[in-house]
Amino acid sequence: MSLDWERHSEVVAYTFLEAFSQLEKWTADESIQKSEFFNELEAYWNGLPGALRGRSAFEVDEVDRLITAHVKDEVKKADGTGERKKVQRWCFTERGAEIPKVFFVDSAQTKRGLYLHLPEVPSPPEFPNVLTADFLEGVRARLSVSQLALWTEFLSTSKSTSKQLVLFISTPRAAGGRSLIGVVFSAKDHQVQSDQPVTPITVRRQTAAYMRERGGASLDLLGKHVAVVGCGAVGSFVADTLASAGVGRLTLVDFDVFSEDNVFRHVLDERYVGFDKVWGLKIRLEQQYPGLKVDCAVKHAQDWLCQDVMADLDGVVLAIGSPTLERLLSRRFKMVQRQLPVVFTWLEAMDLGGHSVLTSTRGEGCLECLYRDEEGAQSLLPRTAFLEQNQRVTRNLTGCASVFVPYGALQARRTGLMAADQLLGAITHGTDAPAYQFWVGTGTAAQAQGLKTTNWWRRAPSVSQSEATASVFGRACKHCRGHV
């Protein structure tokens, strides 16, 4: 919704009428009033007097169970006054689980917690009234037989001394999902101490499933396993994109070490210089994307592929940048006895563009199909090349064998996104038809260096992806013909 800030009176009138309409609906239908309120229960709960805020790493589901609370006292300066005050840092985990490092509560005290799922919860106090033990009694009155047994076990540690306990309750929302509210209270002799404070608490839910769903990552991809072979600039962006999209497991294959030459066109930063690229990416990606598992193979692609590595994969992306090796691996993939999408991706030098080719381990269409001329005869230069052959495109700035092909992070990112998107489409929709995608750059930097481009680079901006695919894969080559 966009407001025209110059139309002051109309904005005020519209706002007033909308508020009035909302009140009318609430007055006319009590069920709407209750539903709307409980849809926003967590926000209301967090606004109750004395409310605490913490972090949770337990799943919000329909399984009643004991959990563990961790609390650490800290001293902080109050905003504006400079006075120091005592605060508590709370976090909550599954019973017996480690505290996530991002919760920063080392040396915390542990307390007993209970998680219950109820069809509905008692009404909270009307603001500004405080929460009391009456709310807990209302919860107890709604418990099933099995929940009552769990409640009795929960209070059993308070036999003779006062114990601080934490109760969390989830309840369905009419708008979808579940609300989660918590209560910190004291118990003694197996009973709630009604003369002690009862404090509301809400949490930031830092579980893999919740953050994935809210962050736009696909839960359907959580069980998928993809290998990224080649973890340089393009491969690193492929891996990062697959992880952010929701792929639950990655196998990263690369024999190389991350160097200072890579810093400005790679996902990793200079802290990882000297690390194996795959191990650096494992640390970086697993820290950023909860629930992700990364396996590392510090190997050459051909050595990795010689092992029995294909059995549990759902897809492979090769970002090696070595045409000879890619063609050999393409033939090796055709020997795999199960259907599996394989994407080959690479960059052209400078700012000419990038390519991504989707193939399958079964059926017609492979990387070798590109290496033919217009008459179908074998060629050392792919039909998709943007640069004419036999040109020097590498640079050496130090004279100590530090040879590299010049291109930037923008080109690497764009190509990596294209390749990842192509593979995700194949996994999600079960597409196994070969496809060729590309992007074409301005070529300004390449032309400034005197590099010669092919007719295809000049024609490509006016050719659709489907037309290009038909041109490349219209007739199967001898290497993939007959693989069904």
Side-chain angles (χ1 to χ4, degrees):
M1 183 177 182
S2 175
L3 301 179
D4 185 344
W5 61 274
E6 292 183 337
R7 297 163 65 179
H8 302 158
S9 59
E10 292 172 79
V11 170
V12 172
Y14 177 85
T15 305
F16 175 80
L17 291 172
E18 283 293 304
F20 189 80
S21 173
Q22 184 76 354
L23 289 172
E24 275 191 323
K25 286 193 296 184
W26 276 41
T27 304
D29 191 336
E30 186 176 344
S31 64
I32 292 179
Q33 181 180 146
K34 184 176 180 180
S35 175
E36 290 285 350
F37 174 78
F38 278 95
N39 278 335
E40 300 298 333
L41 177 60
E42 286 188 40
Y44 181 82
W45 200 259
N46 192 47
L48 288 174
L52 301 172
R53 193 72 185 260
R55 299 183 178 194
S56 72
F58 63 85
E59 294 293 345
V60 179
D61 49 30
E62 297 185 10
V63 181
D64 305 317
R65 60 196 182 275
L66 293 173
I67 59 174
T68 302
H70 310 267
V71 60
K72 183 176 182 179
D73 293 329
E74 293 183 345
V75 177
K76 289 187 175 182
K77 287 185 178 181
D79 295 338
T81 65
E83 296 180 0
R84 299 172 71 83
K85 64 176 183 178
K86 185 178 178 180
V87 297
Q88 289 184 321
R89 187 189 291 270
W90 289 85
C91 74
F92 307 91
T93 64
E94 298 287 0
R95 201 175 185 190
E98 293 185 8
I99 307 175
K101 293 180 180 179
V102 295
F103 283 4
F104 304 112
V105 283
D106 296 335
S107 312
Q109 299 179 43
T110 60
K111 300 182 184 295
R112 179 168 282 205
L114 175 64
Y115 169 79
L116 299 172
H117 180 74
L118 297 177
E120 63 176 21
V121 297
S123 296
E126 293 185 12
F127 185 86
N129 294 331
V130 298
L131 196 65
T132 68
D134 290 340
F135 178 82
L136 291 169
E137 179 57 31
V139 170
R140 195 191 67 79
R142 286 170 167 78
L143 300 184
S144 65
V145 173
S146 60
Q147 288 175 329
L148 277 171
L150 200 55
W151 174 260
T152 302
E153 181 185 353
F154 177 49
L155 297 181
S156 64
T157 57
S158 62
K159 183 175 181 180
S160 56
T161 59
S162 178
K163 297 283 187 180
Q164 192 177 42
L165 304 174
V166 184
L167 170 67
F168 276 99
I169 309 160
S170 70
T171 190
R173 297 172 70 249
R178 299 181 178 93
S179 294
L180 179 69
I181 56 175
V183 179
V184 181
F185 65 98
S186 296
K188 185 178 180 180
D189 297 328
H190 302 180
Q191 299 292 327
V192 175
Q193 290 183 272
S194 58
D195 59 340
Q196 295 297 310
V198 177
T199 307
I201 185 168
T202 57
V203 293
R204 298 185 184 277
R205 304 187 209 175
Q206 292 185 233
T207 63
Y210 181 81
M211 288 188 286
R212 282 170 177 268
E213 187 173 20
R214 295 283 293 199
S218 169
L219 292 178
D220 293 335
L221 292 173
L222 183 58
K224 300 299 183 182
H225 180 194
V226 175
V228 179
V229 184
C231 295
V234 175
S236 74
F237 287 114
V238 170
D240 183 71
T241 303
L242 293 173
S244 66
V247 172
R249 184 181 173 193
L250 294 175
T251 292
L252 305 180
V253 184
D254 199 306
F255 69 93
D256 203 5
V257 171
F258 187 68
S259 74
E260 62 274 19
D261 300 339
N262 306 134
V263 171
F264 275 86
R265 54 180 184 180
H266 202 280
V267 166
L268 298 178
D269 59 52
E270 62 177 332
R271 290 173 295 178
Y272 295 95
V273 170
F275 278 63
D276 292 321
K277 288 179 179 177
V278 293
W279 282 103
L281 283 170
K282 174 182 173 68
I283 295 170
R284 155 80 163 72
L285 296 176
E286 286 187 344
Q287 284 180 342
Q288 180 160 351
Y289 302 111
L292 174 68
K293 177 174 172 43
V294 178
D295 301 321
C296 296
V298 186
K299 296 177 180 290
H300 290 277
Q302 58 271 38
D303 294 334
W304 172 77
L305 200 55
C306 284
Q307 301 173 315
D308 185 19
V309 294
M310 309 298 288
D312 64 344
L313 288 176
D314 296 290
V316 182
V317 179
L318 289 98
I320 301 172
S322 172
T324 302
L325 180 56
E326 288 168 346
R327 293 173 69 183
L328 288 171
L329 295 177
S330 176
R331 299 184 191 185
R332 173 66 180 82
F333 280 120
K334 284 298 183 182
M335 299 168 62
V336 176
Q337 297 302 309
R338 54 185 288 260
Q339 195 82 14
L340 192 70
V342 180
V343 169
F344 296 85
T345 184
W346 66 96
L347 263 175
E348 300 272 357
M350 301 293 183
D351 57 348
L352 289 175
H355 309 268
S356 181
V357 175
L358 170 66
T359 65
S360 176
T361 53
R362 311 301 296 162
E364 295 182 347
C366 70
L367 191 66
E368 288 290 333
C369 292
L370 277 64
Y371 287 84
R372 297 177 293 180
D373 59 24
E374 296 295 334
E375 283 72 39
Q378 286 187 296
S379 170
L380 294 178
L381 188 70
R383 299 174 63 183
T384 57
F386 290 157
L387 267 177
E388 287 189 5
Q389 58 187 339
N390 299 323
Q391 297 183 85
R392 184 181 297 277
V393 295
T394 59
R395 290 182 182 174
N396 189 322
L397 301 181
T398 63
C400 56
S402 182
V403 177
F404 66 97
V405 176
Y407 56 84
L410 182 62
Q411 289 79 22
R413 186 184 298 271
R414 188 172 179 180
T415 305
L417 287 171
M418 179 173 64
D421 183 63
Q422 196 172 36
L423 182 74
L424 290 171
I427 291 176
T428 304
H429 305 298
T431 306
D432 56 9
Y436 168 47
Q437 293 188 8
F438 57 91
W439 66 270
V440 183
T442 63
T444 303
Q447 291 171 1
Q449 295 295 317
L451 295 177
K452 298 178 181 178
T453 55
T454 61
N455 287 332
W456 168 236
W457 180 79
R458 291 185 285 273
R459 288 194 307 109
S462 61
V463 177
S464 69
Q465 308 278 339
S466 58
E467 290 175 319
T469 295
S471 175
V472 170
F473 295 111
R475 184 164 59 91
C477 72
K478 66 178 183 179
H479 298 287
C480 66
R481 197 176 303 138
H483 287 280
V484 293

